Structure formats: structure tokens, C-alpha cells
Amino acid sequence: MSALLDSGVQRGAEVRCPGCTRFIPTAVACPHCFCGPVPPERYGAARELLKSGVDRFALAGRTAALEPAQVEVLAARYARQWGVALRLIEDARRIEPRLLQRGFVGDMEDAWAARLPMDEAVLAESIAPFSPLPDSLAYLSSKAPDANLRDMAALAWVHQGTFSQDARATVRYLLLQDGRVAVEAMLALMRWRNASSLRLTSEERERIRLLALGVLDVPDIGARAAVAWTRVSREAPPDAVLTALHRGLYGTDPEVRFECALCLRDEVEVAQALDSPDAATVTFARRTLSGWGSPRLFLRLMREGDERFVQEVLQDLPFPPPEGALEALLTVSVRTVGSLADDLLRFAKRRPFHDWGLEDQQRWARWARSVLRALPAQTALHFFGWAAAPGESTDPPEEEEMEAVWCFLEETVHAIERGAEKDRVACFKDFLFVYFLHHAGVDEQRRLNDWARDPHSGEALLEALMIFPSWREQARLPATGLEHAARLLMAVWEGPDQHLLVEPMSRVTRQWSAYSGREVLVDAVWRRFQSHPSERSLLLRAFASWRDRLWEKQREAEPDALVRFQAWWRLDPVGLYPHVEPLLADAPLDVLPARLRTLWAAAEEIVGTRPRTASLSVSKGAWALLRAVESDDPRHVQQMEAELAYFESRLPAFEQRVRATPSPPEESNIHRDFLDDTHDALRMMRERRDRRREREAYEREREVERQVAESRRRDQERQIEQARRAAEALEAARLVEHGQQQTRALSDALRLMTDVQPQVPSRPLDREVLFPGTALPTLLHYARMLKALQGGADVMKLFEVVGLTPVTWATQANAWGQAMVGRTELALRFAELLQAPWA
């Protein structure tokens, strides 16, 4: 009996109805299920009978008829199971104070009363091993053996503001249920700790609106329901919601007042939460007031703000910042260790410096004067880069704005100067250093001159100067920056200890020489090369990778190859030999001796330090002299022989010095002394000279022979001319005679063809035109022609007189033959004419 009473079966003057598990007055029939009253000591037995299938209307009688021993067994088993349920219910009692509503424990107790008794094996396997449970909402929400207990733990955990996705998913599921648990889920999800990070669906939003409107008049939760409605709705709240919000705003619960003030945007009430002992509440209030642009918050920030206060304000501060925000932030920064540099830098970069008003720019400038030089060098550079970056406007900056930028620049110089070497190198490698170089004036150029000579950071600065022209394009700086880059480079170069810049500058120019803007820098170096002859050797070594471009400029400025050679060969780090080729290439024969003499002198000057280079250069000159000797230009033969004699006289001593001087490491790429090549050239020049002399002697002999032959030839020509003239006279006489004969022949032929007539009577057939238009149209013409041919006259003259050719004569004769075949009288007359005499 005591076990049943302890298990909660009896409550005051009430006992549970074994049929419906509700509490009813002792010894009365249950008004819900109308089963008979059951004494408390037999409740466990009644539940066992009911579970075994006994009708609830007969339950009271069947329970009263049980034996006492049987009642004790059944009651003990029920009490044991109820004890297990009580341990879970006790866990629910620990959780319920953390919820806003009450009654969850009673609901869970009723649920277990309805389930018991149950199979002992199922109870032992699923529930008993988990009790007692730890007092952890995280554990209970995921591993509690009872579903109602897990739901209660999830609700309580979400009320506390957990970000557990599992717990939030459970509560969002409960939101779609009915009754008290749905209302509690709505209140848990819509607390300020959770509402800002939730992404609700439209169905969930509508569900919250309906639930909230249904409980607006419920005490203790009506104001919270109004808060929930406001947070999920995008329209103005109705009067009932506003009434509930104002009721909660003037209530006694500070948390409810805070929630309602957030919904009503009551700055005064929300500002009171700044003094809350809960750090999360204070943070949320600061962020909310910052988003509202609250002057109260900025005054408090200026008065008592610290690093955390500033960071929380900056999270939701709108842009452009409200009045008083910048002043408060900069004031706290000045008195804070570290000056909140990183936070302020992120805040500043949200808006270009040129877009701030002049008043705010001056505030930033005063702040820079106060703290910038104490910041890390790279941080100070980032602030300056932000201030110096060009804005979107194409208008030139005002004077006051540029004064603010100069403040950042001057303080950045101090920060870089004060920084460690590694910090300085980091600044020089930073892209924002391009703004520093762009705005660098005379004072900054002096610092650059000093920094460039630092053995640790100097090379990084020189690299920045080389990259400056290309970075200038990326930073959208004015085109005048190219000339400024050249001035900076020369400002860094000028001054003492230039030898310290040679090696790092050589490495930098070799690495970055392909970037844009190089020509401007090359021009600056070339102008320095021209104006400072004493620095030419250092310049050529420092800018070795630009050597070819500088040489091209030298060639453009000085057309005389000899002058270029004399100006460069001692200074150029590549040595003597590369200058020999341009000195001797395409050299006219009239200037070649002077160039060779200069080359011999230069080779003798360096043979004591670089013998192989000198010997190679001399070999090159010897072969050039050989080509000149081989040209055999009569205008310069004597001059070339004199040059050859000079070379022969100087070569033995030079050769002795080459062999006696050891080769330095600088000549490790030259593997021999080239004296053999020089001797080969000299040998060929001597052979050429000897052959020329032999040829000249031979030509003199030939000239004598030629003169004798010429005399003989002239005599022969006179004799031949006389014979020719005699032959021409004879030929002329012969031609005259021949002409006369031709004239006589032509006259005879003409007489034969015109005057000779047959000595027989004439007939009409003789003059009948048978072939009109031809040379022999009638029989008389044809017969006269044959008679002339028979008389031995010149045939061609006859043809010429008549107008025939051998071909036309054959045609005419054939035609007359055919005609005579066809006409017998014609043939007879023709025979008669031929037989008759002609005179």
C-alpha cells in the first residue's frame, strides 16, 4: 500500500481511475468511464486485470474478488514498473522549470499511467537501463528513453539559445503539433537568442502567427506570443498584438520587457539591457542599438567603451555610420592598447576615404596623428593605402582632403621606420606600397634612399621600385606616375654608398625587367649615365640586365663606333671582347687602321689581368686585318702593309705576356689563348702579301711583254688596214661592173618580153585573155616567155620583168598546160608560135 501511495497513484483524496487513468474522488464511480470505485491498495491489481482484458464495468467487482495474496503480487509488480516511470517523470520535473508553460509533467505522468503495466522484458530493455539520467539537456534531448522527455529537453535547450541543429529540428517539428507543446515550440523559437539565426519556411511562419493570435490573452505568455507574431510578420501588427506588446513592455519580467522593447524599437528600454549581468544579452543589445544608430549607445561607447564593446558595435553598424559613431570609435581606439587597428581597418575599408566628408576626414587625420606611428608597420601602410586610394570621382581632391592623406603618409613613414626589418620587408612587398611611392615627396625620398641601402630590406624596396610602374596601372593612378617612378629610382640611386646598391639592383632588374614601364626607368638610367661619367661603371653593373638597351641608346646618341668603343670598353662588365665586333664590323678601309690601333692598345692594357680575353680580341682584330689585306684595294694597300708591319712588331711581346700571365676565374669560360688563331691570320696575311708582291713583279714583266706585243699588234693592224682598203677598192670596181651587167640583163629581158614578136600572121586567138589578172593572161604572153627562156635569157630577170616567182611560174605553166589539153586549137597555135621565128 505504501509503495502504491509513494508511486503517485493516490493524490490527496483522489485515486486514479483504472479504466481511464484520470484522478477521481476516492470511493466514487469515475464520471468519465463509469467504472466502479477501486480502493487504492487494489489499483495495481485493477490495472493488471484491465490490461488482461477484463471489462471496465466489471473491473470493480473482479478486483474486489481477488485473493489478498494475488493482490499483493500484482500490486508489487505494478509498483515496480511505476517506480521506473517515476524516475523519468522526475527528470521531467527538473526540466519543466526551464519552460514557460506548466503541465508537461502531468501530461507525461498521465501518458505513463495509461501505458502501465507493460511487459517486464520490454520495460527492462528500453527504459530501466537509462535511469537515473544525467542533468544535461544536450544528453536528454538526444538520448532520453522517453519521447516526451526528449521533446521537453529539446524545448528547454532551445529556450537557452542552443545552436544545435538536431534540437532545433525537433522543436520545429513540435511547432506543427497541437496543444501546449506547439505553443511552447513557438515561444522557444521566437526568443531573441534564436529568431535572428532561424530561416523559417512560409508554412512555419503562418503556423506561428496562428498560434500567437490564439494565446495573446493568456497570462505570462501573451506578450511573448505577440513578440513571436511580430518577428515572423512583415506587416504592421494589429491592435491586439500591440496591446500585448505594450503590456509586456510595462510588465515586471525584465526579459519580457526586453523582448517587447526589441519589437517596439524602444531605444530606452533596450539601452537598459546594457547593464544586464548576462553577457549575451548585453552583446545583443549593443548590436541592436548599433544597427538602430542609437546616440545613447555611442555616448556610452565613448564614455566606457572597450575593445569588446567596439567589436560588438561594429558588427551591425550601418553605413554610412550615424552621427557620433565615428567619433566614439576613434576615441575608444586612442585609449585602447593596440588601438583596435584591425577592427577599425575593416570598418574603414567599407567606404573609400574620399567618400567621407571633410569633417570625418579630419577626424581620421587626427586619429592617425595620435596612433598610426605606434601601430605595426604593415597595418599603418594598410590605413595609408585606404586613405590614398583614388575614389570613383574624376575630380581632383581638395586641399583639405590631401592634407589628411599627408597626415597618414607622414605617420606611416614613422611606423615603417620604427618597425623591424621583417616588417619593413613585408611593407615593401605589399601592393599598397604603390600608394606610398606615388605620394612620396622629398622627405619620403630621403627615407627611401636610406632604406635602399639597408642590407636586409634594401632589395625588397628596390623590387618595389621596379614593379611600381605596373602596379600603378593596377591601382588606377595617374599616368604621371611613370615619370615619378623614374625620379624615385634616381633619388634612391643618388647619394653616397652607391656601391651598396649594385648587387641587389642587379638581381632585381634581372628578375623584373620584363614588366611594363621599363622604358621610362631605362631612360632615367641613361640620362644619369650621360650626366655622371664617374658613375657609369656602377650603373652598368647595377643595371646589367638593361645593358643591351643602354647600348642601343649609346649607338643612337653616338654614331662613331670608335668613340663608343673608347667610352664603353673599360666600364662595361661584359668586358672587352663584346665591343670588338661592333668596332670592326663593316669598318671602311680608310678608318680601319685607327680602330685597330685602338684595339691593340686596349688589349695591351688588359692583358695583365685578363690575358685570354685580350688574346681573343687581338685574334678578332687580326682576322679583320686579314680581310682588309685580302681586299687588295689599291688605294689602301700601302696603309694595310704598314698596319701589318706594326702588328708584326707588337705581337711577340704581346704573346709573351699572354703566356706569362695566369688566367683569372672570370675567364673560366674561355678555354684557350687563341694565339694559334692569331698566328694563322698573320701567316695568311704574310702569304697574301708575298703573293701580291709576286703578282706585282709578274705584272711588271707582263706589262713589258704587253708593250712589245702592242707594238707588233699596231704594225700588223696597219698592214691589215692597207690590205683591207685595196680589197675594198677592188670590190667596188667589181660591184660597178656587176651593176652594169645587171642593167644590161634587165634591159634585154624587158626587150624580149615587150618588143619581140612572132614572124607569122596574127590571129585573134593569140590575144584572147584566158587567165585575166595574171602575169601571162594570153597565149602570146605565154609563148613569148617560153621563147625567151629557150633563147638563154636570165630567168630571174625575166621573172622580175613579168612579175613572176618560181612558184607562180609553175602555177601559170600548169594552168596553160591544162588549157591546151582542153582546147586543141590552142595547142596547135602554141606549137605554131614556138616554131615561128621571132624578131
Side-chain angles (χ1 to χ4, degrees):
M1 182 65 181
S2 61
L4 290 175
L5 293 176
D6 292 341
S7 64
V9 173
Q10 184 172 2
R11 187 174 63 188
E14 296 178 334
V15 295
R16 283 193 182 276
C17 171
C20 61
T21 69
R22 292 185 176 88
F23 283 100
I24 60 175
T26 307
V28 299
C30 178
H32 304 286
C33 61
F34 305 104
C35 59
V38 177
E41 65 273 10
R42 291 179 176 263
Y43 179 76
R47 289 296 298 169
E48 292 283 353
L49 291 175
L50 186 64
K51 282 287 184 179
S52 64
V54 176
D55 185 83
R56 58 192 176 87
F57 296 104
L59 185 62
R62 292 286 300 273
T63 303
L66 290 174
E67 293 293 334
Q70 190 175 9
V71 169
E72 291 180 5
V73 172
L74 295 176
R77 185 170 63 183
Y78 185 82
R80 185 169 58 255
Q81 293 187 3
W82 184 250
V84 173
L86 281 180
R87 289 198 295 273
L88 298 176
I89 295 171
E90 191 62 32
D91 291 329
R93 287 196 179 96
R94 293 201 312 269
I95 296 174
E96 190 175 50
R98 306 181 189 183
L99 304 178
L100 297 178
Q101 300 179 93
R102 298 295 175 262
F104 291 98
V105 174
D107 293 342
M108 184 175 175
E109 191 175 319
D110 291 343
W112 276 104
R115 292 172 61 186
L116 296 178
M118 59 190 302
D119 187 85
E120 289 283 346
V122 175
L123 182 65
E125 181 180 354
S126 60
I127 299 178
F130 291 92
S131 296
L133 297 174
D135 189 13
S136 169
L137 295 179
Y139 180 88
L140 293 173
S141 66
S142 60
K143 298 183 179 180
D146 181 69
N148 292 329
L149 186 59
R150 290 196 298 272
D151 294 344
M152 290 178 64
L155 286 168
W157 201 15
V158 172
H159 270 297
Q160 291 181 355
T162 180
F163 286 95
S164 170
Q165 296 300 321
D166 293 337
R168 290 192 174 198
T170 300
V171 175
R172 293 173 77 161
Y173 168 75
L174 296 177
L175 179 67
L176 303 178
Q177 307 304 310
D178 296 325
R180 182 186 295 110
V181 67
V183 174
E184 191 70 26
M186 171 194 68
L187 299 177
L189 291 173
M190 289 297 102
R191 299 190 77 159
W192 64 264
R193 300 176 187 272
N194 304 318
S196 60
S197 59
L198 278 178
R199 298 294 181 267
L200 298 174
T201 64
S202 57
E203 181 183 2
E204 291 172 334
R205 289 179 178 275
E206 187 60 30
R207 178 65 174 165
I208 290 173
R209 287 162 57 92
L210 293 176
L211 290 173
L213 292 176
V215 295
L216 286 177
D217 297 328
V218 176
D220 298 333
I221 64 171
R224 293 181 182 272
V227 169
W229 190 96
T230 305
R231 283 183 175 153
V232 299
S233 301
R234 294 181 175 85
E235 61 267 17
D239 293 340
V241 174
L242 287 175
T243 301
L245 288 175
H246 284 93
R247 186 169 61 247
L249 182 65
Y250 300 111
T252 58
D253 189 338
E255 186 175 1
V256 175
R257 290 202 307 270
F258 181 64
E259 296 271 15
C260 294
L262 291 174
C263 293
L264 294 172
R265 295 180 68 90
D266 191 315
E267 181 182 340
V268 177
E269 186 64 36
V270 174
Q272 293 180 5
L274 298 175
D275 298 319
S276 173
D278 182 28
T281 302
V282 174
T283 299
F284 190 80
R286 289 172 177 175
R287 294 183 58 181
T288 301
L289 292 173
S290 175
W292 293 350
S294 171
R296 293 173 180 270
L297 177 69
F298 302 140
L299 290 174
R300 186 157 182 167
L301 174 63
M302 185 181 299
R303 185 174 62 253
E304 59 187 45
D306 55 7
E307 181 176 0
R308 181 177 178 181
F309 198 159
V310 170
Q311 292 172 349
E312 292 169 351
V313 168
L314 287 177
Q315 288 187 36
D316 293 282
L317 186 66
F319 248 79
E323 183 70 27
L326 180 62
E327 185 70 26
L329 292 171
L330 298 181
T331 301
V332 177
S333 171
V334 171
R335 67 168 182 256
T336 304
V337 176
S339 303
L340 304 170
D342 295 336
D343 300 297
L344 279 182
L345 183 59
R346 287 192 294 270
F347 166 72
K349 286 184 175 180
R350 295 174 61 186
R351 186 183 191 187
F353 182 76
H354 297 277
D355 293 346
W356 295 78
L358 290 178
E359 185 176 350
D360 287 338
Q361 290 177 358
Q362 293 172 359
R363 289 193 180 97
W364 277 110
R366 291 193 296 271
W367 172 85
R369 290 291 189 193
S370 301
V371 305
L372 201 60
R373 69 173 58 190
L375 296 179
Q378 199 165 11
T379 303
L381 178 64
H382 285 188
F383 272 106
F384 169 71
W386 163 72
E392 297 295 334
S393 176
T394 57
D395 299 332
E398 299 181 7
E399 183 177 356
E400 294 84 353
E401 181 179 335
M402 289 308 302
E403 289 179 357
V405 175
W406 293 126
C407 291
F408 278 90
L409 176 61
E410 293 171 6
E411 298 305 319
T412 302
V413 171
H414 291 295
I416 297 176
E417 183 72 24
R418 185 184 57 83
E421 292 173 351
K422 63 180 183 63
D423 298 328
R424 195 177 300 168
V425 170
C427 289
F428 297 156
K429 292 181 176 293
D430 198 312
F431 175 77
L432 294 177
F433 194 66
V434 66
Y435 298 112
F436 184 97
L437 296 176
H438 178 71
H439 290 277
V442 176
D443 294 337
E444 290 75 27
Q445 290 175 13
R446 294 195 186 99
R447 297 296 180 90
L448 292 174
N449 192 288
D450 296 336
W451 293 340
R453 285 155 176 80
D454 186 274
H456 301 284
S457 60
E459 187 168 343
L461 176 59
L462 297 176
E463 181 179 316
L465 290 173
M466 290 297 104
I467 307 175
F468 176 49
S470 59
W471 276 1
R472 176 197 58 79
E473 295 178 1
Q474 299 178 35
R476 297 182 291 110
L477 293 173
T480 55
L482 285 176
E483 294 297 333
H484 183 61
R487 288 194 296 271
L488 286 180
L489 181 62
M490 291 300 99
V492 167
W493 174 262
E494 191 168 4
D497 299 328
Q498 290 175 338
H499 65 280
L500 298 177
L501 301 178
V502 171
E503 292 301 325
M505 183 67 80
S506 176
R507 290 192 295 269
V508 168
T509 53
R510 184 168 56 250
Q511 182 178 1
W512 297 102
S513 61
Y515 270 65
S516 62
R518 181 171 67 109
E519 273 308 308
V520 177
L521 303 181
V522 172
D523 290 340
V525 174
W526 170 243
R527 290 193 295 270
R528 186 79 181 184
F529 184 88
Q530 286 181 307
S531 60
H532 293 73
S534 61
E535 299 178 7
R536 289 179 177 179
S537 178
L538 293 177
L539 286 169
L540 286 177
R541 288 167 51 199
F543 299 93
S545 63
W546 298 353
R547 183 260 178 200
D548 294 341
R549 191 68 189 92
L550 294 173
W551 173 250
E552 291 176 4
K553 289 183 174 295
Q554 178 68 67
R555 294 182 63 180
E556 294 172 359
E558 178 54 64
D560 192 338
L562 182 58
V563 176
R564 293 198 303 265
F565 178 82
Q566 292 172 338
W568 273 68
W569 77 265
R570 289 185 180 87
L571 309 175
D572 200 343
V574 301
L576 171 64
Y577 179 72
H579 291 279
V580 175
E581 179 66 27
L583 176 67
L584 302 179
D586 301 327
L589 295 181
D590 56 343
V591 301
L592 182 62
R595 297 188 182 185
L596 288 174
R597 294 293 178 96
T598 305
L599 174 60
W600 308 145
E604 290 176 346
E605 183 176 336
I606 70 165
V607 70
T609 56
R610 294 192 176 185
R612 292 184 177 179
T613 301
S615 180
L616 177 60
S617 302
V618 168
S619 175
K620 188 74 173 179
W623 286 97
L625 180 58
L626 172 61
R627 289 192 294 272
V629 170
E630 289 178 343
S631 66
D632 291 336
D633 191 332
R635 296 172 298 173
H636 304 285
V637 169
Q638 297 299 326
Q639 192 176 16
M640 293 301 108
E641 286 195 355
E643 191 63 30
L644 175 58
Y646 177 82
F647 177 61
E648 287 178 320
S649 65
R650 305 299 294 266
L651 182 60
F654 178 80
E655 181 179 1
Q656 185 178 1
R657 295 182 64 186
V658 170
R659 297 187 186 278
T661 305
S663 178
E666 291 82 359
E667 293 185 334
S668 59
N669 59 331
I670 305 178
H671 304 294
R672 56 193 182 95
D673 55 20
F674 293 92
L675 290 174
D676 293 339
D677 294 353
T678 305
H679 282 289
D680 290 341
L682 181 59
R683 176 180 54 79
M684 286 188 284
M685 283 188 286
R686 288 170 176 171
E687 293 175 354
R688 187 75 177 186
R689 181 184 58 187
D690 295 341
R691 286 196 302 270
R692 184 174 62 253
R693 291 176 178 177
E694 292 175 358
R695 186 171 62 252
E696 289 175 353
Y698 175 74
E699 288 178 354
R700 284 194 296 270
E701 295 177 358
R702 292 296 303 273
E703 179 63 22
V704 173
E705 295 177 357
R706 186 189 65 78
Q707 292 177 359
V708 173
E710 181 67 18
S711 176
R712 292 175 180 174
R713 183 185 63 78
R714 285 197 296 269
D715 292 341
Q716 291 177 356
E717 286 180 352
R718 283 195 298 271
Q719 295 174 3
I720 293 172
E721 180 65 19
Q722 292 174 357
R724 183 184 64 79
R725 289 177 180 176
E728 287 180 353
L730 182 62
E731 179 65 18
R734 188 187 65 80
L735 289 176
V736 171
E737 179 65 23
H738 179 71
Q740 294 175 353
Q741 293 176 358
Q742 290 291 327
T743 302
R744 288 194 298 270
L746 183 60
S747 176
D748 293 342
L750 181 61
R751 185 183 62 81
L752 289 175
M753 295 305 299
T754 56
D755 298 340
V756 178
Q757 295 292 331
Q759 299 300 314
V760 291
S762 175
R763 292 184 182 180
L765 185 60
D766 297 341
R767 289 176 174 80
E768 182 182 353
V769 179
L770 297 180
F771 298 102
T774 61
L776 305 173
T778 65
L779 181 61
L780 182 61
H781 286 88
Y782 182 60
R784 185 183 285 120
M785 184 69 182
L786 288 181
K787 198 68 176 175
L789 290 176
Q790 291 175 356
D794 189 341
V795 177
M796 299 306 298
K797 292 299 181 180
L798 292 175
F799 284 172
E800 183 179 353
V801 170
V802 178
L804 288 175
T805 64
V807 176
T808 56
W809 162 247
T811 303
Q812 287 282 312
N814 185 50
W816 277 105
Q818 293 293 332
M820 292 178 189
V821 170
R823 294 180 62 181
T824 305
E825 71 277 9
L826 189 63
L828 293 175
R829 181 60 179 169
F830 175 69
E832 185 179 353
L833 289 176
L834 287 181
Q835 294 175 0
W838 289 70

